[in-house]
Amino acid sequence: MPELPEVEVTRRGIEPHVRGRTIAAVTVREPRLRWRVPAAVLALAGREVRAVKRRGKYLLLDCGDGHLIVHLGMSGSLRLVAPDAVPGKHDHVDLCFDRQILRLRDPRRFGALLWTDGPPEAHPLLRHLGVEPLTRALDGPRLHALTRASGMQIKPFLMDGRRVVGVGNIYASESLFLAGIAPRKQARRLSAQNCARLAAAIKLTLRAAIRAGGSSLRDFVGSDGVHGCFQRRAWVYDRAGQACRKCGNAIRRIVQGQRATYYCTACQR
Ligand SMILES: [Zn+2]
């Protein structure tokens, strides 16, 4: 599933090619994505893309009088292809520009293409999203304040997109290891110092993944058409039973909220 780093890599990959360009035509070969592609998307021809923004895992193509909201779902990818590139079976939507096509491929069709002419942050899908982790909005004091009223353990808390967006399962385990915090610790018991370390660890982990081109993802294809994902050398994720890279203890696997968590019982308290 594309995580925040893959979406950000996609944003950075496509923005220089579509910003300031006019959508010449929209081709929808299969409108049945997670929600049916609305008629407003078909009417985008003639609009200029002013910027490509991101909120959580949503890409927002700013078209001046509204935004095209794109979500890659479970298996979606956006690529820039030549105007004569023959669409494959799962290439459902094309935004055609003068010299290139921005093509949405989505084999499982859990992705979404929607239009909003209001402020995107007020859209029902985006309204409840939590703090954006790669901005200054997330820091120690903010994380400390957010955790105070929570009855959750810190690992599921981090993965709750209504609190902080885009910290997926891999990144939650890795960040907690870097911050030295046990995944089952009650969120509200974290000290201010814990929260400062954790906020920094989240940023570090996500930025490293973005630099690496996003973490491993079978269906992700970089916007240049090259498979762009590289599994980073993980500290703990998917390393059950293996030696901790810091202390040598065996990495432990537990399940929290139906998701696997990996951690070191010696390094994380
Ligand atoms: Zn350790």
Side-chain angles (χ1 to χ4, degrees):
M1 183 186 303
E3 296 286 351
L4 186 147
E6 283 86 7
V7 177
E8 179 60 20
V9 167
T10 299
R11 190 194 72 74
R12 293 179 188 186
I14 65 176
E15 190 183 37
H17 300 277
V18 303
R19 186 183 52 220
R21 302 206 178 265
T22 299
I23 299 168
V26 179
T27 305
V28 178
R29 281 176 289 272
E30 171 57 87
R32 293 170 299 170
L33 302 182
R34 178 157 184 196
W35 297 284
R36 194 176 182 87
V37 177
V41 171
L42 288 162
L44 284 176
R47 281 195 172 81
E48 181 191 314
V49 177
R50 298 190 178 178
V52 183
K53 303 182 278 192
R54 180 187 56 75
R55 177 75 175 100
K57 297 203 284 182
Y58 293 92
L59 286 169
L60 303 168
L61 274 65
D62 180 351
C63 296
D65 59 346
H67 288 78
L68 178 65
I69 301 174
V70 184
H71 194 279
L72 298 175
M74 306 286 286
S75 59
S77 63
L78 279 174
R79 293 171 308 142
L80 286 153
V81 299
D84 59 352
V86 178
K89 182 180 169 194
H90 303 295
D91 291 337
H92 303 314
V93 180
D94 286 351
L95 295 187
C96 307
F97 295 87
D98 53 353
R99 279 179 292 181
Q100 293 183 104
I101 292 172
L102 183 61
R103 180 164 282 172
L104 175 71
R105 170 174 294 179
D106 189 359
R108 297 185 63 183
R109 291 195 277 117
F110 281 109
L113 271 189
L114 298 166
W115 172 257
T116 180
D117 47 19
E121 60 274 13
H123 190 275
L125 288 174
L126 280 74
R127 195 187 300 156
H128 302 291
L129 295 182
V131 180
E132 196 65 48
L134 292 176
T135 67
R136 285 186 190 170
L138 182 72
D139 60 9
R142 184 71 181 275
L143 190 57
H144 194 251
L146 285 171
T147 49
R148 288 314 88 184
S150 174
M152 297 171 88
Q153 296 175 342
I154 186 60
K155 162 77 169 9
F157 175 93
L158 284 183
M159 294 183 63
D160 179 354
R162 292 167 301 179
R163 310 286 178 243
V164 181
V165 290
V167 185
N169 201 33
I170 298 174
Y171 307 112
S173 280
E174 293 289 290
S175 301
L176 285 166
F177 176 81
L178 285 179
I181 297 167
R184 285 193 282 207
K185 194 175 175 92
Q186 286 295 321
R188 66 169 178 270
R189 308 273 309 263
L190 294 185
S191 66
Q193 195 188 24
N194 282 157
C195 290
R197 279 209 310 268
L198 184 53
I202 290 167
K203 290 173 198 278
L204 197 75
T205 303
L206 290 173
R207 286 194 182 121
I210 290 168
R211 265 200 308 278
S215 69
S216 75
L217 176 71
R218 205 165 10 113
D219 298 314
F220 180 77
V221 178
S223 41
D224 57 359
V226 174
H227 281 271
C229 284
F230 314 98
Q231 174 67 60
R232 292 174 55 246
R233 195 173 112 115
W235 288 101
V236 290
Y237 186 78
D238 205 19
R239 297 193 65 239
Q242 297 180 45
C244 171
R245 297 191 199 281
K246 274 190 186 163
C247 75
N249 264 21
I251 298 298
R252 195 158 167 220
R253 178 188 189 275
I254 57 171
V255 174
Q256 293 176 286
Q258 283 113 42
R259 304 301 302 275
T261 298
Y262 300 87
Y263 72 110
C264 174
T265 52
C267 294
Q268 295 174 250
R269 296 299 169 114

